[in-house]
Amino acid sequence: MSKATRTDPQPSAPHGADSHDLIRVLGARENNLKDVSIEIPKRRLTVFTGVSGSGKSSLVFNTIAAESQRLINETYSAFVQGFMPTLARPEVDVLEGLTTAIIVDQQRMGADPRSTVGTATDANAMLRILFSRLGTPHIGPPSAYAFNVPSVRASGAITVERGNKKAVKATFNRTGGMCPRCEGRGTVSDIDLTQLYDDSKSLNEGAITIPGYGSDGWNMRLYKESGFVDPDKPISKYTKKELNDFLHHEATRMKIAGINMTYEGLVPRVQKSMLSKDKEAMQPHMRAFVDRAVTFATCPECDGTRLSEGARASKIKRISIADACAMQISDLADWVRGLKEPSVAPLLTALQHTLDSFVEIGLGYLALDRPAGTLSGGEAQRVKMIRHLGSSLTDVTYVFDEPTAGLHPHDIQRMNELLLRLRDKGNTVLVVEHKPETIAIADHVVDLGPGAGTGGGAVCFEGTVEGLRTADTVTGRHFDDRASVKETPRERTGTLEIRGASANNLRDVDVDVPLGVLVVVTGVAGSGKSSLVHGSIPAGEGVVSIDQSPIRGSRRSNPATYTGLLDPIRKAFAKVNGVKPALFSANSEGACPTCNGAGVIYTDLAMMAGVASPCEDCEGKRYQPSVLEYHLGGRDISEVLAMSVDEAEEFFGAGEAATPAAQRVLTRLSDVGLGYLTLGQPLTTLSGGERQRLKLATHMADKGGVYVLDEPTTGLHLADVEQLLALLDRLVDSGKSVIVVEHHQAVMAHADWIIDLGPGAGHDGGRLVFEGTPADLVAARSTLTGEHLAAYVGG
């Protein structure tokens, strides 16, 4: 009897497998983390908060998600691993209880012209199959509807060795949907010849106006001494043959001044030397020339649809695949719902689910042919979410980087529901977030801080949202902050008239934008805010336009080089030590010869992903040892570049190192909330919000009268928003006009004037629904923005 009692399982005893309900992190030291140890509950929604630079991304992305990714890669065969990048193990003592991590970040999608919203999701592929089955006339397989696939016809002889050699004649056909004229890009580029030369002059008089074609350079000698044209004759007097030889002659080898050179027409030469290169990587004067000389026009053959004539002719219920991709997704979802065809029922169900996911996530206003490179960071992140919403996977860790970026308060509620749905399927959801509306739905909160950079990296609070509210941390103290509406808004000093704005979805909008005040343009995502501001206020003379597009730069670019801060620092070092400033540039004479000033050695492994390892000679400091013997205020140049903006501001403010020119730039960086960035941090590691604020700091010295900002609060903590508002006030008080596209209610409340677009997104938006003071908007409550702002200020 007693024996039976002992072997009977206790019904209340937990199963051993259920004890792994936590992700345990012990001793995390990535970047600025200071031996962080936490336990994160699985199958719950955990939100990570803290000021910008407090270590949230270092803990969530660079430690937990990175280790999960590394461990998954290790499960593949050695052969497959050979094609993958070698990931270093994060700086952490123990990581237990990890599950597969899926990262949904805000990295912009590739700007390849053939990448669209449809190709970035499965929607386009499913439409192609649908048209290949149901489209009439039938033109071929799914590839016949793909603008990424060219049509190919080839024939030739294949030699097969079986005893005696035999030649087998074979023909090969592939029907693709690519427009042959624009090669699936939708646009054709043309060169404006008037920007290449002045036809009233001869070559000897300097007719060619392209940068680098000076009168005594090799480029000019090539044309003068080629013998094809008379160098003393004005170009307007050339015969047809001479003009063709000058502009379009094919490449020909010849001797000029005893040197073998290749002569070709000016147009193909410019196309090869300039137009095939990344414009952003060019020097400013070359970039300006390309902007002037090259015009992009809609392809006349496919009318911008990217598709061949056959693909455009094949239709289902009078709709071609080009028409379907151009529709607003919410309308396309309704059209697909109306197709009743049993032969493709499973395909229609899957396509329907994908399109409905777009609508549900607040992207129903997009079209499938929208180029992926034109999406904002927030839109790109939500497009990446589409594929996970219908996934059958459970017990996965989803990692989100500010999923509310670019969302109106009305849309944040939808996003919250999606995050909770992912959690309720049995997944662990980790969210890095600043918005109180999303922090409020968390099951568990981890607050990092207390400050940024070296002043952060510690866990200040762990627990529930209620616990955070009463916690004495920066986030806790500011959690229930509410900006109040201005009693007496500033008076306008002038008016910028916008008439008949019709870019993208705008419906002939007429609006008077007041100048000399803080104007906030609001409306749900996709209502036409950016179209109005960027499409109607040209970034020209007197207008400083700052968006979140990535800052192009090499691996060596950092805040010090981008803002021009390094120049006064180099001169200060040179003056004190009596040497040349070029010694203190890691891109010039002072560079470590082993790594060429990069600080790391990049090993290109051909078919594998390259690997970067710290340079052993300079220990990642980027400079020759002899350069580091020169000091300014007791610090060498590498120690200065390792300082944070706040430390450097103090260092260059007084004593031997006092450098007013450097301090001015540092003060601007601090003003925009980037005091925690180190001067030498590579630009490639900055978030979208940080990049934008870096641009803002750089452009604050410009002589512009109108500043146009696109969501400057992206990535800003509640406490930092106050600092940004103070900065905007300073700009306005100094006589500038500031126009901000923004969803953050604190910024709306702080405005002098609000322009609200809507009422919905896509073709349901594009209209002016309110213009006036924030107080009037709250009192009227006539729009979605008005309702949310009234609830926010307690009106």
Side-chain angles (χ1 to χ4, degrees):
M1 180 69 189
S2 61
K3 194 175 176 184
T5 310
R6 278 199 305 275
T7 55
D8 276 353
Q10 296 294 320
S12 59
H15 192 286
D18 294 332
S19 62
H20 300 282
D21 275 343
L22 295 171
I23 295 173
R24 291 178 61 238
V25 182
L26 290 178
R29 293 178 300 279
E30 273 297 307
N31 298 330
N32 66 333
L33 295 178
K34 295 169 183 166
D35 251 353
V36 167
S37 299
I38 56 165
E39 293 185 341
I40 301 165
K42 284 190 188 172
R43 294 177 286 283
R44 297 289 181 273
L45 174 63
T46 300
V47 174
F48 293 79
T49 62
V51 297
S52 303
S54 59
K56 304 182 297 297
S57 296
S58 300
L59 177 60
V60 180
F61 292 96
N62 302 354
T63 303
I64 298 170
E67 179 64 358
S68 168
Q69 210 87 57
R70 190 183 73 84
L71 293 173
I72 288 166
N73 286 4
E74 283 188 353
T75 64
Y76 298 119
S77 68
F79 174 73
V80 174
Q81 281 186 53
F83 296 95
M84 294 177 160
T86 308
L87 301 173
R89 188 178 185 279
E91 277 282 304
V92 60
D93 295 335
V94 179
L95 264 176
E96 287 180 350
L98 291 178
T99 69
T100 306
I102 294 175
I103 298 170
V104 188
D105 60 19
Q106 285 185 43
Q107 288 296 323
R108 296 276 179 127
M109 295 198 169
D112 184 283
R114 294 200 199 96
S115 176
T116 65
V117 169
T119 59
T121 56
D122 293 332
N124 211 282
M126 289 190 272
L127 270 180
R128 293 200 298 264
I129 298 169
L130 185 67
F131 274 85
S132 71
R133 303 278 173 84
L134 304 182
T136 53
H138 177 73
I139 59 161
S143 64
Y145 297 89
F147 54 75
N148 287 327
V149 181
S151 293
V152 180
R153 285 176 185 76
S155 61
I158 302 171
T159 304
V160 182
E161 283 193 47
R162 282 208 187 113
N164 300 325
K165 287 186 180 178
K166 293 175 186 172
V168 181
K169 190 78 174 167
T171 58
F172 169 79
N173 284 339
R174 179 178 68 194
T175 309
M178 180 186 286
C179 167
R181 171 80 190 271
C182 65
E183 298 186 334
R185 287 179 165 83
T187 56
V188 285
S189 59
D190 209 359
I191 292 182
D192 181 356
L193 296 180
T194 61
Q195 297 294 337
L196 303 189
Y197 59 85
D198 178 350
D199 69 354
S200 67
K201 294 180 179 176
S202 69
L203 290 180
N204 277 332
E205 290 169 331
I208 302 180
T209 54
I210 303 167
Y213 283 71
S215 56
D216 49 358
W218 275 108
N219 284 323
M220 201 58 140
R221 283 185 73 175
L222 183 67
Y223 288 95
K224 285 182 191 174
E225 301 177 25
S226 63
F228 287 112
V229 291
D230 180 350
D232 291 313
K233 187 166 147 186
I235 294 176
S236 58
K237 299 281 196 307
Y238 282 8
T239 63
K240 256 190 172 170
K241 181 178 185 319
E242 281 179 316
L243 193 60
N244 189 61
D245 285 344
F246 174 54
L247 291 177
H248 302 291
H249 199 286
E250 70 274 8
T252 308
R253 296 289 289 170
M254 58 169 52
K255 253 193 172 66
I256 290 181
I259 297 171
N260 284 326
M261 294 185 76
T262 301
Y263 175 90
E264 65 182 327
L266 194 59
V267 170
R269 191 174 169 83
V270 166
Q271 281 176 324
K272 285 177 189 167
S273 65
M274 295 183 189
L275 308 189
S276 59
K277 293 179 180 167
D278 178 13
K279 193 176 78 176
E280 292 293 336
M282 292 179 177
Q283 291 172 299
H285 68 288
M286 300 294 267
R287 203 180 314 155
F289 164 73
V290 172
D291 283 336
R292 286 196 312 273
V294 184
T295 54
F296 288 95
T298 303
C299 173
E301 201 157 302
C302 67
D303 199 23
T305 60
R306 307 152 179 262
L307 290 159
S308 63
E309 195 179 346
R312 299 196 307 276
S314 178
K315 298 187 176 181
I316 302 172
K317 290 190 175 179
R318 298 195 298 284
I319 295 284
S320 69
I321 190 166
D323 300 331
C325 288
M327 278 186 197
Q328 189 166 304
I329 289 173
S330 55
D331 295 342
L332 180 61
D334 292 338
W335 179 73
V336 171
R337 207 172 271 114
L339 297 177
K340 299 282 185 265
E341 186 59 52
S343 63
V344 287
L347 176 66
L348 285 173
T349 306
L351 178 58
Q352 188 66 61
H353 181 272
T354 298
L355 297 173
D356 285 343
S357 295
F358 271 103
V359 178
E360 190 178 359
I361 211 162
L363 292 178
Y365 61 88
L366 294 179
L368 293 182
D369 64 3
R370 168 92 174 256
T374 65
L375 299 178
S376 69
E379 285 172 334
Q381 186 184 34
R382 299 202 293 286
V383 166
K384 292 175 195 169
M385 269 185 86
I386 300 287
R387 60 185 52 182
H388 303 305
L389 290 175
S391 169
S392 306
L393 291 171
T394 64
D395 252 333
V396 170
T397 300
Y398 284 99
V399 185
F400 289 94
D401 185 12
E402 281 187 68
T404 61
L407 283 184
H408 188 270
H410 169 70
D411 299 317
I412 290 178
Q413 188 54 46
R414 275 167 145 174
M415 177 57 74
N416 284 351
E417 286 163 11
L418 291 169
L419 294 173
L420 291 171
R421 230 175 65 198
L422 281 174
R423 177 202 67 185
D424 293 344
K425 275 173 62 179
N427 297 309
T428 306
V429 182
L430 309 181
V431 182
V432 171
E433 188 53 85
H434 293 293
K435 295 271 174 71
E437 299 97 318
T438 298
I439 299 172
I441 64 163
D443 300 307
H444 188 71
V445 179
V446 177
D447 190 23
L448 289 154
T454 52
V459 175
C460 300
F461 172 82
E462 259 191 286
T464 62
V465 178
E466 286 312 309
L468 176 68
R469 275 197 161 96
T470 55
D472 187 26
T473 69
V474 179
T475 309
R477 288 195 294 274
H478 289 273
F479 191 79
D480 291 309
D481 276 6
R482 294 292 180 265
S484 53
V485 174
K486 277 185 183 164
E487 297 290 323
T488 51
R490 299 179 185 94
E491 291 295 322
R492 68 178 70 191
T493 58
T495 300
L496 177 72
E497 292 184 0
I498 295 176
R499 295 290 176 266
S502 55
N504 299 328
N505 66 331
L506 294 175
R507 310 280 186 90
D508 269 341
V509 172
D510 295 338
V511 62
D512 291 337
V513 182
L515 296 176
V517 296
L518 176 59
V519 179
V520 174
V521 182
T522 65
V524 296
S527 60
K529 303 180 299 299
S530 295
S531 302
L532 178 70
V533 171
H534 296 302
S536 308
I537 305 171
E541 200 56 45
V543 177
V544 178
S545 185
I546 302 162
D547 58 16
Q548 289 185 33
S549 60
I551 295 171
R552 304 267 179 174
S554 69
R555 294 162 174 153
R556 293 189 180 88
S557 300
N558 54 45
T561 57
Y562 181 76
T563 57
L565 171 66
L566 201 56
D567 291 337
I569 291 177
R570 283 204 306 254
K571 285 174 187 159
F573 265 94
K575 189 176 173 187
V576 167
N577 293 288
V579 289
K580 286 193 294 186
L583 273 180
F584 302 99
S585 169
N587 298 336
S588 187
E589 292 182 27
C592 162
T594 311
C595 63
N596 292 326
V600 287
I601 304 284
Y602 290 96
T603 312
D604 185 4
L605 301 176
M607 82 288 184
M608 301 187 207
V611 174
S613 49
C615 172
E616 291 180 4
D617 285 9
C618 67
E619 297 174 349
K621 289 179 179 174
R622 306 172 60 190
Y623 290 93
Q624 296 176 23
S626 58
V627 175
L628 302 181
E629 289 170 14
Y630 298 114
H631 289 79
L632 174 68
R635 304 284 186 100
D636 65 42
I637 184 74
S638 70
E639 288 171 331
V640 167
L641 288 176
M643 288 180 183
S644 69
V645 168
D646 287 341
E647 286 175 76
E649 193 179 359
E650 197 177 314
F651 178 72
F652 288 109
E656 184 199 3
T659 313
Q663 205 186 8
R664 279 197 294 275
V665 179
L666 291 162
T667 304
R668 292 202 297 269
L669 285 168
S670 187
D671 280 346
V672 295
L674 294 178
Y676 59 90
L677 283 189
T678 55
L679 305 186
Q681 184 175 339
L683 291 189
T684 47
T685 62
L686 302 189
S687 69
E690 285 170 336
R691 279 195 294 265
Q692 193 194 25
R693 298 201 297 285
L694 185 61
K695 283 187 200 173
L696 176 58
T698 308
H699 288 301
M700 271 168 61
D702 290 2
K703 296 289 179 276
V706 180
Y707 281 72
V708 178
L709 309 181
D710 200 346
E711 290 187 52
T713 61
T714 303
L716 274 188
H717 187 265
L718 296 162
D720 297 325
V721 172
E722 289 177 13
Q723 195 177 354
L724 181 76
L725 290 176
L727 174 69
L728 297 180
D729 277 343
R730 280 209 302 280
L731 280 173
V732 175
D733 293 339
S734 69
K736 314 280 189 196
S737 302
V738 180
I739 301 165
V740 184
V741 174
E742 190 53 87
H743 294 294
H744 202 294
Q745 286 145 313
V747 182
M748 292 181 203
H750 198 75
D752 297 303
W753 193 259
I754 282 190
I755 295 170
D756 195 17
L757 295 175
H763 59 49
D764 299 324
R767 297 186 186 88
L768 183 67
V769 290
F770 176 85
E771 54 179 327
T773 64
D776 292 342
L777 179 62
V778 167
R781 301 194 190 201
S782 56
T783 69
L784 276 171
T785 306
E787 287 173 25
H788 284 279
L789 187 58
Y792 172 82
V793 299

